[in-house]
Amino acid sequence: MIVCPEALAAEAGAEVFAAGGNAVDAAVSTAFVQGVVNPFATGIGGFALLYVHSGTTGQGVVMNGGVAIGSRPQPAGWIDEFVGRSETVGRFILSSEANQVGHYSIMVPGFVRCCWDAYVRFGSGSSVGPNSCSQP
């Protein structure tokens, strides 16, 4: 079963299944098509969270394709500006919104890397296969 908001993305996943792909192949292709047909809902500029479960072994793995935010600690003044946390994007809310606009707001997306890692580790052409679920 393929579930997603856009019919064209679901059709792409179904085509992958019909061509002999597995669930991970279909999920990755569906996610990329979803980003093309509705880029406001998903896309390569964001994060991914993927759970892969092996029906054969019963093992599962969570793949976290979060974003990387900067390479330095946040400015000390941000502590005084803290208002709350936005769980929808995993960011802190500051009164100045300095982390939402400008160079401090830039994130390195994890979506593409997560999809690639899932494809390499668990896709139908994988040499690793679903038995590696217990490995990090």
Side-chain angles (χ1 to χ4, degrees):
M1 177 186 298
I2 299 170
V3 178
C4 64
E6 301 295 333
L8 291 173
E11 289 173 22
E15 287 179 22
V16 169
F17 271 133
N22 67 14
V24 172
D25 299 331
V28 168
S29 62
T30 299
F32 274 92
V33 173
Q34 179 70 32
V36 172
V37 297
N38 189 350
F40 296 111
T42 189
I44 64 172
F47 63 92
L49 186 61
L50 179 66
Y51 177 73
V52 180
H53 179 267
S54 170
T56 306
T57 66
Q59 294 180 315
V61 64
V62 174
M63 301 185 74
N64 182 358
V67 297
I69 304 173
S71 58
R72 296 183 288 170
Q74 287 77 24
W78 284 12
I79 293 172
D80 299 329
E81 295 184 46
F82 178 75
V83 175
R85 183 172 167 92
S86 172
E87 296 303 326
T88 57
V89 293
R91 284 189 174 208
F92 295 103
I93 300 170
L94 303 179
S95 59
S96 69
E97 295 193 356
N99 64 333
Q100 303 293 336
V101 179
H103 69 281
Y104 284 118
S105 69
I106 297 172
M107 300 182 296
V108 177
F111 175 86
V112 173
R113 178 61 187 258
C114 185
C115 288
W116 174 251
D117 288 347
Y119 173 75
V120 169
R121 289 180 67 185
F122 306 111
S124 62
S126 168
S127 60
V128 179
N131 291 329
S132 66
C133 288
S134 61
Q135 298 178 12

